[in-house]
Amino acid sequence: MANGRVVQTADRTIGSRQLAALLPADVLARPGYRSLAEAVRTLILDGRVALHVRLPAERELAEAVGASRATVTGAYDLLRESGYVRSRRGSGTWTELPEGHRPVGAHALVGAGGYSADGDSGIDLAIAAMGAPDGALADALARAAPRLPDAARSPGYHPFGLPDLRTAIADRFTRRGLPTRPEQILVTSGAQQAFTLVVSLLCRAGDRVVTENPTYANALDALRHARLRTGSIAVSDTGWDMEIAESTLRQTVPRLAYTIPDFHNPTGALMPEEQRLRLLATTRRTGTWLVVDETIADIALDVPAPAPLASLAPRGGADHVVTIGSLSKTHWGGLRVGWVRATAKMITELTALRVSADMTGSVLDQLVALPLLDGMDRILPARLDQLRERRAALVDALQRHTPEWSWRIPPGGLSLWVDLGEPVSSALAERAAAAGVHIGRGARFGVDPGTFEHRLRIPYTLPADRLDEGVRRLAAAFHDGVPLPPSVDRPHWVA
């Protein structure tokens, strides 16, 4: 199924029907050729159409979308002029990026590497993560150093993970209310690898899966690359509609459901216990694997940290639940240590799959992770205080620079899910990038193309002065090119 996944076929060609399925339904709104060009450009920027892929011939695409050939010709001309495609006589039209541009997801890999026209360093609001806690890495390295000589005498291959680290992760689950044995833990190179391994083991191309909508963008990418059919359960500012969620699960009977119940990314919502129980029961009845992403579960700012979702199941009733997590949000994304918690049988199967991909994880990273995990309860309170201060600084900056936008203050997590009041998120992100601010446009988090164009995800993980400057530049880009609503009578924020 083409809709919602990255298209990158063996001959590097996307068919007209494939491309048409990815385009939003209102793509031919007047003026048609400009709307079509904008839609294709957004697909390229969001990575849903890969780079260096040949687009359909003009006549074929015109038939597929129900437009005139002149409309498609005009759209291709605009894309060529702006640098998003190139054409050569006899070889067709191919996707590319203008000089200095990257796909949206690439900003999360390169960090704050953007520059504005006047040459000052960029502000990266695309990454919802902090730098490492002061002194924590140095202390962890000092504690890990004495263990390194013994570790270095071995071949260094620990495909399940270092035994001591597996035990520490299992013990932490147990203290949080979910009894866990070390053989139920696989240490991975981050939570993204954990999720990709789980999807690869449990699903085959064409299987039906369900996610929240919106949801974590990189998880969506993994599902698209696996060529899965993705259904969705809406998460609004007020949280989950569990009746609709249960109905969706019963009707679609998906192979896998992916959820972020703890300070959901990007909305920040926290799933109530009653809804967690209903989700556990429904996925068990439908035979659906429930993958719970706990990456942000410890970032509890206004409420106690929640217990693992699987801990609410009756004895023996959580074998269909797979829990993933990492140290990336609590400590540092540069330390590639994550984990999967599942049945011992599944952990063995996941490890066999993992060996075929990268053999084993970094022993050095795991040696450093062990004292960080052991000392989490000492490090985390100061970390959370810092995030509360930065969240308040972001709210203050938004109230001063963009009073027409609205948002809710989440009880935890790392970002605000901001409503712009206008469907201009992609255009605003493009203008902001030119001003040196990289931001997560709403469409990046949507299951379906073109959705959440009225939203931005803005993390509060940077220092207060950088947040203020970033919002100031966003406001300038917004006011410079986006018509404001004729009236704004809703509250700016809701606690």
Side-chain angles (χ1 to χ4, degrees), residues 75-427:
Y76 278 16
D77 286 344
L78 274 182
L79 290 168
R80 274 188 291 269
E81 291 170 9
S82 56
Y84 287 94
V85 302
R86 58 177 171 80
S87 298
R88 290 201 306 265
R89 185 179 299 276
S91 66
T93 300
W94 297 74
T95 60
E96 63 178 17
L97 286 177
E99 187 70 26
H101 283 63
R102 300 186 187 97
V104 169
H107 297 312
L109 300 178
V110 300
Y115 291 88
S116 65
D118 58 5
D120 69 325
S121 60
I123 299 173
D124 200 323
L125 294 175
I127 301 177
M130 301 175 72
D134 291 343
L137 282 182
D139 291 344
L141 280 167
R143 294 178 61 186
R147 304 188 58 175
L148 189 56
D150 284 342
R153 293 188 188 100
S154 74
Y157 293 97
H158 299 274
F160 287 91
L162 290 181
D164 286 354
L165 183 56
R166 296 177 75 198
T167 298
I169 295 169
D171 288 348
R172 183 165 179 81
F173 272 112
T174 300
R175 290 195 303 274
R176 295 175 59 220
L178 180 60
T180 302
R181 304 184 309 277
E183 56 265 33
Q184 292 180 269
I185 300 295
L186 168 64
V187 180
T188 61
S189 298
Q192 184 68 16
Q193 186 192 52
F195 181 66
T196 302
L197 286 172
V198 170
V199 169
S200 298
L201 178 68
L202 298 179
C203 302
R204 297 292 177 267
D207 281 352
R208 189 180 298 277
V209 298
V210 165
T211 77
E212 293 147 341
N213 191 31
T215 192
Y216 179 49
N218 290 329
L220 284 175
D221 287 344
L223 297 176
R224 289 163 181 158
H225 280 294
R227 299 167 60 191
L228 302 175
R229 294 184 294 164
T230 306
S232 62
I233 297 170
V235 181
S236 68
D237 285 336
T238 56
W240 293 256
D241 186 326
M242 197 50 61
E243 289 189 6
I244 292 178
E246 289 173 327
S247 176
T248 299
L249 289 166
R250 287 195 300 266
Q251 291 176 16
T252 61
V253 192
R255 176 69 173 164
L256 178 150
Y258 171 71
T259 183
I260 311 173
D262 309 313
F263 317 121
H264 173 265
N265 185 4
T267 69
L270 179 63
M271 185 182 287
E273 181 175 316
E274 181 267 338
Q275 292 188 356
R276 294 171 186 244
L277 289 168
R278 293 171 66 178
L279 182 61
L280 278 168
T282 304
T283 50
R284 187 166 181 81
R285 284 195 299 269
T286 58
T288 299
W289 290 100
L290 179 59
V291 180
V292 179
D293 187 339
E294 282 198 340
T295 309
I296 318 176
D298 288 304
I299 311 299
L301 302 180
D302 301 328
V303 294
L309 188 148
S311 68
L312 300 176
R315 185 175 179 83
D319 287 352
H320 69 298
V321 181
V322 181
T323 305
I324 62 176
S326 80
L327 293 178
S328 295
K329 305 304 184 184
T330 55
H331 290 77
W332 188 41
L335 193 68
R336 303 309 301 154
V337 173
W339 51 81
V340 182
R341 192 266 183 203
T343 64
K345 179 179 182 293
M346 177 177 284
I347 291 300
T348 299
E349 294 171 346
L350 285 168
T351 303
L353 184 63
R354 187 261 180 85
V355 168
S356 69
D358 73 344
M359 296 294 288
T360 187
S362 164
V363 171
L364 182 57
D365 280 15
Q366 293 179 67
L367 287 173
V368 173
L370 187 55
L372 290 175
L373 192 66
D374 288 342
M376 181 181 289
D377 293 337
R378 295 190 304 273
I379 293 173
L380 200 54
R383 194 81 157 156
L384 298 182
D385 284 343
Q386 188 177 46
L387 280 168
R388 292 184 190 101
E389 293 173 0
R390 293 182 178 186
R391 183 182 62 180
L394 176 58
V395 168
D396 178 69
L398 289 169
Q399 289 175 329
R400 285 186 289 107
H401 297 302
T402 55
E404 62 272 47
W405 296 356
S406 62
W407 59 89
R408 285 179 176 264
I409 298 179
L414 297 160
S415 57
L416 300 182
W417 187 231
V418 176
D419 188 339
L420 305 176
E422 294 280 339
V424 294
S425 175
S426 293

Side-chain angles (χ1 to χ4, degrees), residues 71 73 143 177 219 261 305 317 330 333 351 383 393 422 437 440 454 456 461:
T71 295
T73 299
R143 294 178 61 186
T330 55
T351 303
R383 194 81 157 156
E422 294 280 339
V437 177
H454 62 300
L456 284 180
T461 51

